[in-house]
Amino acid sequence: MSFVNDVIARVKEKNPAEPEFHQAVEEVMESLEPTIEKHPEFVKAGIYDRIVEPDRTILFRVPWMDDKGNVHVNKGFRVQFNNAIGPYKGGLRFHPSVNLGIIKFLGFEQIFKNSLTTLPMGGGKGGSDFDPKGKSDNEVMRFCQAFMRELFRYVGPDVDVPAGGIGVGGREIGFLYGDYKKLRNEHTGVLTGKGIEWGGSLIRPQATGYGSVYFAAEMLQVKGESMEGKTALVSGSGNVAQYTVEKLLNLGAKPVTVSDSSGYIYDEEGIDRDKLAFVMDLKNIRRGRIKEYVTEYKNAVYTPIDSSRDYNPLWNHKADLAFPSATQNEINEKDAQNLVNNGIKAVSEGANMPTTPEGVKVFMDNNIMYGLGKAANAGGVSVSGLEMSQNSMRLSWSSEEVDNRLKGIMQSIHKAAYETSESYGHPGNYPMGANIAGFLKVAKSMLAYGIV
Ligand code: NDP
Ligand code: 2IT
């Protein structure tokens, strides 16, 4: 067995029943294989075994009362994975499927993603199995307050800076920040994704989606192509998906799908700006289901999720580009094959780990430009890093300034991933390039600190 296989085997043995964490570790470790020979000093210092074990895992009870006076208890998580290059940084996820293995996979990914951003941020992630769907604003507020009432002990602007993610948007960040400010009596950059009036950064809401499209544009440029006129499949209809659609429109592409956890819509004529405004109102204000799109736009077709099917028909339309922007493992082997059969050129992952390992293999075997999540969706945390900088300076930058920096960061990430893949003899192998480039910076820092 090779050295990395031994590391993976130990992770599986020590962390049973955490399949998503195993998957994330396996994906990164396999890419890191070529670093073993080049860096015997990393092996000697136990870097590979240390990087897969979180610095600290915080688990807590979150009791809250609903509008009828019933008491509920949810689980709270914060995994502070690695702070070798900066304070722990990473989002929160509120979704009924959340468990420790999912938070660990996200926190582990975040180490390498944050390293790629060029900004000084370590990796962390948190969340809860709380389901915001169907809850009143007051219930969400009481939950967020109960969550922060425990989390505030472990976070701080130089320690750990959480942000949004699935189920955590501007509303939730407001309630969380309000409680932190009350408990600590300080107005400081402890969370990112804040409102503009109270310390947020312009372009943070747009950043992940915009960044994922910028990354796709960079990949296309290597092949002498542009976004203009390309047809795109987008999944999800939340924060990332919405601003992916917006940037696709800005760059002259044609998005034709969006989805939620109940089903997806296919609009052959394209989702234009008016239709996007409808989706934003539907999902952000009315908190409705994507199915309503076809009541408003009769030419579009809605297909509900059918769990008896072994593929997702969203990925079975003719298109040039795919932007999975909902959740993990939403593209399996068959979906990847369907995309290839339909002429897909590039995949840019807005979501974290949306493609299964078998799906990734199909993309690699077919020479599809494959922008893995930790590179393609790093725009969100990058602008979070810029929000931290602005908070520290007590200044705020214009939209143009932040967007230019975001674009520059996405170009740097693409360049680092591409050039690293080249220097390791596999030009265009973005998973290898991004994982190695992200890892080297963290590993060198860990080496400098000694065995800690
Ligand atoms: P939102 O909560 O705003 O939107 C999530 C979207 O994905 C919704 O349309 C939701 O449907 C759908 N979805 C969620 N879970 C599932 C599921 N199990 N099956 C099918 N559909 C699902 O979250 P974001 O847009 O912020 O996050 C989307 C992805 O992007 C996640 O993987 C997240 O980790 C990743 N990401 C987010 C960043 C950010 O800055 N927000 C940064 C980097 C990555 P429904 O409405 O039915 O719940
Ligand atoms: O997965 C992610 O990168 C995020 N949810 C954003 C994290 C952040 O700190 O902005």
Side-chain angles (χ1 to χ4, degrees), residues 165-167 205 209 234-245 258-261 276 279-280 283-284 290 325-326:
I166 290 184
V234 179
S235 67
S237 52
N239 172 265
V240 179
Q242 291 169 15
Y243 289 103
T244 296
V245 168
V258 281
S259 70
D260 64 17
S261 53
L276 174 60
V279 170
M280 287 181 166
K283 288 312 237 181
N284 308 345
I290 203 64
S325 310

Side-chain angles (χ1 to χ4, degrees), residues 115-150:
S115 169
L116 284 167
T117 66
T118 72
L119 304 173
M121 299 182 288
K125 194 83 187 188
S128 174
D129 58 359
F130 173 73
D131 185 1
K133 267 200 204 79
K135 306 290 188 301
S136 70
D137 286 350
N138 281 332
E139 287 171 331
V140 171
M141 179 181 74
R142 286 195 292 275
F143 173 79
C144 289
Q145 291 172 340
F147 187 83
M148 186 51 87
R149 224 153 273 173
E150 182 61 29

